[in-house]
Amino acid sequence: QVQLVESGGGLVQAGGSLRLSCEASRDIFTINAMGWYRQAPGKQRELVGTITSGAYTNYADSVNGRFTISRDNAKNTMYLQMNSLKPEDTAVYYCNANIRGYSYWGQGTQVTVSS
């Protein structure tokens, strides 16, 4: 099991940057698959990107080149650096950890991008 807590959301103008953090309640070194998802009002939750224990990353086309996922195993924390933010990036952002086929979710953090 793991508890995940996101932080770092807020209100930012278009073109700005934010960094989200996802702190885990246990070591993440052995968690192979972690990722970020987002859910905008009236829309389904969608994948933003993932990172493996070997730091291999994969991103949705909509954020590729603007967002970067990283992980600091010593701090049990995963990050989402978001640059060149657009109004369409407005959503609740969730972190996810997949442990032996079971998905664990954080409570989410709101990101609002104003035009």
Side-chain angles (χ1 to χ4, degrees):
Q1 279 190 333
V2 64
Q3 282 78 48
L4 303 171
V5 179
E6 302 97 335
S7 61
L11 174 64
V12 64
Q13 287 189 328
S17 298
L18 279 176
R19 188 177 81 155
L20 305 184
S21 299
C22 171
E23 185 171 0
S25 60
R26 49 154 278 186
D27 81 274
I28 63 171
F29 180 75
T30 57
I31 301 177
N32 184 53
M34 298 187 71
W36 289 95
Y37 290 72
R38 67 186 183 186
Q39 187 166 19
K43 294 187 177 181
Q44 290 188 333
R45 190 172 298 189
E46 64 176 6
L47 175 68
V48 173
T50 59
I51 186 167
T52 68
S53 57
Y56 176 81
T57 54
N58 188 51
Y59 300 96
D61 289 343
S62 58
V63 306
N64 197 24
R66 299 188 297 122
F67 291 11
T68 302
I69 297 174
S70 60
R71 56 196 286 173
D72 185 336
N73 292 335
K75 295 183 178 179
N76 299 333
T77 301
M78 177 178 63
Y79 302 99
L80 177 64
Q81 177 67 45
M82 305 184 292
N83 298 328
S84 301
L85 282 161
K86 304 175 181 180
E88 51 263 44
D89 294 318
T90 295
V92 178
Y93 284 71
Y94 299 90
C95 70
N96 173 272
N98 189 291
I99 302 175
R100 290 190 290 274
Y102 191 86
S103 275
Y104 296 86
W105 297 90
Q107 82 289 348
T109 185
Q110 176 70 46
V111 172
T112 302
V113 184
S114 63
S115 57

